[in-house]
Amino acid sequence: MQDLKVIYEDNHIIVVEKRPNIPSQSDKTEDKDMLSIIKEYLKEKYNKPGNVYLGLVHRLDRPVGGVMVFAKTSKAASRLSQQVRNKEFKKQYLAVVDGKIENKKRNFRRLFI
């Protein structure tokens, strides 16, 4: 199993650190993704037979590292998804850059690569 850093876990949610270059969910590359890694972790930790429920509440792009919240129950997934829709659930990004930024303060609303 991958080296998974669990920041917080209770009966309803699990909060983990996603390292850069790991997809949030499976894609056509078939690289190991966070959803699969955490399902495997929960299956092992709690000795669960069969499928493990894990709700993907939000995603981070593959190149981005950071904190992700996953729902361990369908009820938690529903409530967290509602918070995302109502914009109560917020993400903040911190960028590390190399070089000099001329303006002292910069806000980026969207970045297209």
Side-chain angles (χ1 to χ4, degrees), residues 15-47:
V15 181
V16 299
E17 178 184 336
K18 176 190 156 323
R19 292 192 317 246
N21 299 317
I22 298 175
S24 295
Q25 64 189 54
S26 64
D27 61 13
K28 62 184 175 187
T29 66
E30 297 183 13
D31 292 341
K32 199 72 163 175
D33 61 277
M34 291 304 295
L35 201 59
S36 300
I37 292 167
I38 298 166
K39 280 183 177 183
E40 188 177 306
Y41 162 83
L42 294 172
K43 189 173 179 112
E44 254 182 51
K45 181 176 180 179
Y46 298 106
N47 198 22

Side-chain angles (χ1 to χ4, degrees), residues 91-97 100-112:
K91 293 190 255 183
Q92 287 186 322
Y93 293 88
L94 172 66
V96 178
V97 297
K100 184 177 178 185
I101 298 178
E102 296 299 322
N103 296 344
K104 291 189 185 235
K105 185 176 180 183
R106 272 276 167 76
N107 288 321
F108 295 95
R109 298 226 183 265
R110 291 184 180 204
L111 175 64
F112 296 97

Side-chain angles (χ1 to χ4, degrees), residues 37-97:
I37 292 167
I38 298 166
K39 280 183 177 183
E40 188 177 306
Y41 162 83
L42 294 172
K43 189 173 179 112
E44 254 182 51
K45 181 176 180 179
Y46 298 106
N47 198 22
K48 289 192 171 223
N51 289 334
V52 172
Y53 178 85
L54 190 65
L56 180 66
V57 176
H58 66 99
R59 296 184 301 254
L60 289 177
D61 292 339
R62 180 188 283 254
V64 177
V67 176
M68 291 189 71
V69 179
F70 293 84
K72 292 170 63 176
T73 66
S74 59
K75 189 174 191 175
S78 174
R79 288 181 177 176
L80 288 167
S81 294
Q82 184 66 38
Q83 288 178 350
V84 170
R85 281 191 296 279
N86 292 342
K87 301 190 186 305
E88 297 167 28
F89 185 102
K90 297 184 191 257
K91 293 190 255 183
Q92 287 186 322
Y93 293 88
L94 172 66
V96 178
V97 297

